[in-house]
Amino acid sequence: MAYEQLKLDNQLCFRLYTAARMVTSAYTPYFKEFGITYPQYLVLMVLWERDNRVISEITDLLKLETNTVPPLLQRMEKQGLIVRQKSVSDSRQRLVSLTKEGKKLEEQIKEVPNCLARKIVNDGINPDELISLVQLLDKFIG
């Protein structure tokens, strides 16, 4: 190989990409039970923190592309987790709100983050390293 910096093992971006995929797949068995995906979980968390958000706010908070969120919300609406309606203050905007089912899911799913943290610790990362990792990632993604 002509350029050492082009080796896959030397790429920070590949490590981050792989870690993200591993975390997403680690969540999958937990979410399967509730019939949701990881991106849907992210939307739910945003709405559990504060309900009745405009789509652009959800998009910004989750750092997703604007064309990614509407199909995601459409599927969630079909599942009965959310409703979308025109904003009273600005009819061009759509408000996203939790349904009774979406609110109920918060109680059912509350232990999933702890399960994942336990899995990470069981896989060999000690709690202090996990805290350091979170702190570093917070600095990185700002």
Side-chain angles (χ1 to χ4, degrees):
M1 171 170 247
Y3 302 100
E4 191 68 20
Q5 69 268 26
L6 294 179
K7 280 187 174 179
L8 189 59
D9 286 343
N10 293 335
Q11 305 301 308
L12 171 63
C13 59
F14 181 69
R15 284 182 171 84
L16 292 171
Y17 169 77
T18 302
R21 290 192 59 229
M22 288 174 69
V23 168
T24 301
S25 67
Y27 269 116
T28 299
Y30 300 110
F31 294 148
K32 207 171 220 172
E33 174 183 341
F34 302 104
I36 64 169
T37 63
Y38 182 72
Q40 290 173 331
Y41 174 63
L42 296 177
V43 170
L44 287 167
M45 284 193 301
V46 164
L47 294 173
W48 291 329
E49 284 181 29
R50 187 172 57 78
D51 204 2
N52 303 312
R53 294 187 189 250
V54 294
I55 294 174
S56 60
E57 186 180 6
I58 294 169
T59 301
D60 291 345
L61 286 167
L62 297 179
K63 298 175 182 8
L64 294 172
E65 299 293 324
T66 53
N67 62 346
T68 311
V69 176
L72 177 62
L73 296 176
Q74 201 170 37
R75 287 189 301 276
M76 292 177 76
E77 193 167 33
K78 284 181 184 172
Q79 289 173 271
L81 299 173
I82 62 160
V83 291
R84 294 176 298 165
Q85 52 200 1
K86 286 184 180 174
S87 169
V88 176
S89 60
D90 184 349
S91 63
R92 295 170 296 168
Q93 292 185 326
R94 305 272 298 207
L95 267 181
V96 180
S97 307
L98 291 163
T99 62
K100 198 185 296 186
E101 283 301 308
K103 290 175 184 174
K104 192 169 84 175
L105 198 53
E106 180 180 11
E107 176 65 27
Q108 297 170 331
I109 212 165
K110 70 181 180 197
E111 287 304 314
V112 168
N114 295 333
C115 292
L116 184 66
R118 277 193 298 278
K119 180 183 178 355
I120 290 169
V121 169
N122 289 339
D123 286 349
I125 294 178
N126 74 49
D128 290 336
E129 289 174 321
L130 188 55
I131 290 168
S132 294
L133 176 61
V134 169
Q135 291 169 341
L136 283 171
L137 289 171
D138 283 347
K139 279 184 182 179
F140 182 72
I141 60 176

